[in-house]
Amino acid sequence: MRPMDYIVPESAEAAVAILAERGENACPLAGGTDLVVDLKHAPGNINALVDVSGLDEFRGIDVTDEGLRIGSMATYGEIMEHPVCLEKTPEVVAASHTVGAVQTRNLGTIGGNLVTCVPSADSAPALMVLDAEVTLIGTNGWRRMPIEDFFVGPRKTILEPYELLAEIWIPKHTLGKPSSFYKFGLRKGQALALVNAAAALELDGDRIVEPRIALGAVAPTPIRAVKAEALLDGQDVDAKLLDEAAQIAVTESKPIDDFRASKNYRRQLIRTLTRRVLERSVEIARKRQEQDKLH
Amino acid sequence: MLVELTVNGESRSANVPPETTLLKMLREHLGLTGAKLGCDVGDCGTCTVIVDGVSVNSCLMLAGRADGCDVTTIEGLATADDLHPLQQKFEEHGALQCGFCGPGMLISAKNLLDNNPDPSVFEVRDALAGNLCRCTGYTKIIEAVIEAGEMMSQEPANV
């Protein structure tokens, strides 16, 4: 291995400038759970590591007037223990809990996981159903976009060269929104999802409001099942309707055959998991209605 | 680069190339060979150590990241006089067969009990999900961890 530089920048802007100056052989380092493995087995031409994990702009989890801000360098372990995440985004916590195992969750960051951009990333569907947004910083400054737009293809994000994922924002209006996440893997620990699914919705009486469905490991990127959402929007809850939406979600997916599961098996999982996360979200919304009545 | 850290209560330092993992620094620069090199990709957990209160795969953490941190390895569990309650219970239960997963199992279990002295079986299984035992001695390991938790709650002075 060639001699390597280890650089700890002072700010996010400085990190971008250093990456731009060093060119493509410099690599930003987050939790390292993927990159350190690459350094050992396929280092390529990497000659500098720019450690962005401690940058203030990328750290911390806090609530502002806009909503919940999760710094991209928050580890899954930190998210799982954060009181606001536990209270307001329990399904993001649940999704975080299904990533790897304790030791990898204490190193791995949510931002690093999203930038790696594998179709099965567990946090993605849980964030997508809460209308999460991401902020990026690059040589042209900051920009912000819905998280769906961040994913471009397998291991390909919208990030320009030398651009970094800074924050994940969950807007105020979806904090505490009834939601459900379900991952189907071959084991509970250290397993990639065959399919993962998340849903979120509000109930106005029996009427479904603002339904969201997101699926992972079923297409080149995590996806929203927008046609299934459209079917549900404004309709009264009904078991048959939820199953119909789940069937539509199957048609919106493009699962592949691989060594983990066949395409057909994944299709069946998509229908079952979508129905389950919808049913569970309805159940949570109903409980909320009952609690509101008591107060 | 110079990395200075506290290992099992002692200040230690070494000059290491930046791509050095914490595991390599512990084993090859500091002579602490308790944490084992297993899969080297973060799957098996036998390299597990505690860094500033959380357990990590030391094969995935660069040594530079641990600069200034407080590290506990398997060498930090027993005292000159006594084995740690976890080690005593692992011995009693025959919780180790070949023993290669032991350092990681014990450190993950210690980290669990430090934060949750009375874990359920589910919580123990969840805490050890990142530690693979290829002899498949999981049942005895889980029993040993539960009993060590009970022992540590009863005799806090010994811990």
Side-chain angles (χ1 to χ4, degrees):
Chain A
M1 192 185 285
R2 75 196 62 225
M4 179 91 63
D5 291 330
Y6 189 94
I7 304 163
V8 183
E10 304 236 313
S11 67
E13 269 177 29
V16 170
I18 292 165
L19 287 165
E21 187 195 315
R22 299 282 309 226
E24 60 185 19
N25 294 337
C27 192
L29 171 68
T33 52
D34 288 316
L35 182 57
V36 173
V37 175
D38 290 344
L39 284 178
K40 289 187 234 191
H41 301 289
N45 293 320
I46 297 174
N47 63 16
L49 298 174
V50 180
D51 185 349
V52 298
S53 65
L55 293 175
D56 286 344
E57 297 96 322
F58 298 175
R59 293 285 308 158
I61 300 171
D62 34 77
V63 185
T64 75
D65 289 345
E66 285 179 76
L68 176 65
R69 173 194 167 279
I70 301 177
S72 61
M73 292 299 102
T75 66
Y76 279 117
E78 288 167 348
I79 290 168
M80 283 168 60
E81 294 200 345
H82 199 278
V84 178
C85 297
L86 285 163
E87 190 197 333
K88 298 291 186 188
T89 63
E91 297 308 293
V92 174
V93 171
S96 301
H97 198 153
T98 70
V99 176
V102 181
Q103 300 95 315
T104 31
R105 291 196 293 266
N106 284 336
L107 286 172
T109 63
I110 190 166
N113 196 197
L114 295 172
V115 170
T116 302
C117 203
V118 292
S120 60
D122 294 309
S123 57
L127 292 169
M128 285 160 82
V129 296
L130 297 180
D131 302 338
E133 294 184 327
V134 292
T135 64
L136 319 178
I137 180 170
T139 45
N140 294 320
W142 290 78
R143 55 181 177 146
R144 183 172 180 138
M145 66 186 64
I147 193 167
E148 285 97 299
D149 297 347
F150 183 73
F151 308 120
V152 173
R155 295 189 176 269
K156 185 156 176 38
T157 68
I158 201 160
L159 288 172
E160 299 282 341
Y162 321 126
E163 195 171 34
L164 298 167
L165 172 59
E167 304 162 316
I168 296 110
W169 282 90
I170 299 170
K172 205 169 186 177
H173 70 272
T174 63
L175 290 180
K177 184 173 178 178
S179 174
S180 173
F181 170 83
Y182 199 102
K183 167 177 176 173
F184 193 92
L186 295 179
R187 301 176 301 279
K188 287 223 165 122
Q190 305 274 50
L192 293 182
L194 299 187
V195 171
N196 53 29
L201 50 81
E202 301 278 1
L203 283 184
D204 176 9
D206 281 333
R207 201 164 60 89
I208 299 170
V209 182
E210 304 217 329
R212 298 283 184 274
I213 299 167
L215 299 162
V218 306
T221 66
I223 59 162
R224 283 262 302 274
V226 288
K227 288 179 192 161
E229 291 172 3
L231 176 83
L232 296 171
D233 198 9
Q235 302 297 310
D236 284 353
V237 175
D238 163 65
K240 217 177 123 202
L241 179 75
L242 300 188
D243 188 51
E244 249 173 74
Q247 288 183 56
I248 292 174
V250 177
T251 66
E252 293 183 78
S253 310
K254 296 183 188 71
I256 54 165
D257 284 309
D258 69 7
F259 66 94
R260 285 191 194 89
S262 69
K263 195 188 294 182
N264 282 334
Y265 185 50
R266 283 200 165 92
R267 284 207 183 100
Q268 293 184 40
L269 280 174
I270 295 164
R271 179 172 171 185
T272 305
L273 298 194
T274 304
R275 195 180 58 232
R276 274 190 205 169
V277 292
L278 285 170
E279 285 168 354
R280 179 76 187 130
S281 301
V282 166
E283 205 177 297
I284 294 166
R286 290 256 195 248
K287 252 184 216 156
R288 190 78 47 84
Q289 285 177 326
E290 279 165 32
Q291 281 165 359
D292 289 348
K293 254 184 229 163
L294 291 174
H295 290 142
Chain B
M1 65 192 291
L2 180 69
V3 176
E4 298 177 285
L5 31 78
T6 306
V7 187
N8 304 324
E10 237 179 274
S11 292
R12 303 291 299 267
S13 66
N15 237 317
V16 300
E19 66 274 16
T20 308
T21 61
L22 176 59
L23 178 64
K24 193 167 185 166
M25 175 170 165
L26 290 169
R27 291 180 58 85
E28 297 179 16
H29 295 263
L30 303 182
L32 294 166
T33 54
K36 296 285 178 271
L37 176 73
C39 69
D40 210 15
V41 294
D43 284 335
C44 79
T46 194
C47 68
T48 304
V49 301
I50 299 173
V51 177
D52 281 353
V54 298
S55 57
V56 300
N57 303 103
S58 62
C59 77
L60 291 183
M61 187 179 203
L62 293 180
R65 264 296 179 58
D67 190 40
C69 291
D70 192 27
V71 179
T72 303
T73 69
I74 187 69
E75 285 92 343
L77 257 61
T79 62
D81 302 322
D82 276 315
L83 289 176
H84 186 276
L86 274 163
Q87 291 168 315
Q88 293 175 34
K89 288 298 173 186
F90 267 57
E91 191 180 15
E92 271 175 37
H93 281 263
L96 299 176
Q97 291 183 48
C98 86
F100 196 78
C101 70
M105 284 287 178
L106 286 158
I107 286 289
S108 284
K110 179 186 187 306
N111 193 241
L112 169 70
L113 296 181
D114 285 349
N115 296 299
N116 178 4
D118 184 25
S120 65
V121 170
F122 173 80
E123 286 168 327
V124 174
R125 296 174 76 107
D126 190 48
L128 299 181
N131 295 85
L132 305 185
C133 168
R134 295 297 77 173
C135 311
T136 69
Y138 294 111
T139 302
K140 291 172 177 180
I141 291 170
I142 291 161
E143 287 166 4
V145 174
I146 300 263
E147 276 193 27
E150 288 165 5
M151 184 175 165
M152 288 163 71
S153 313
Q154 283 160 13
E155 305 171 44
N158 276 357
V159 181

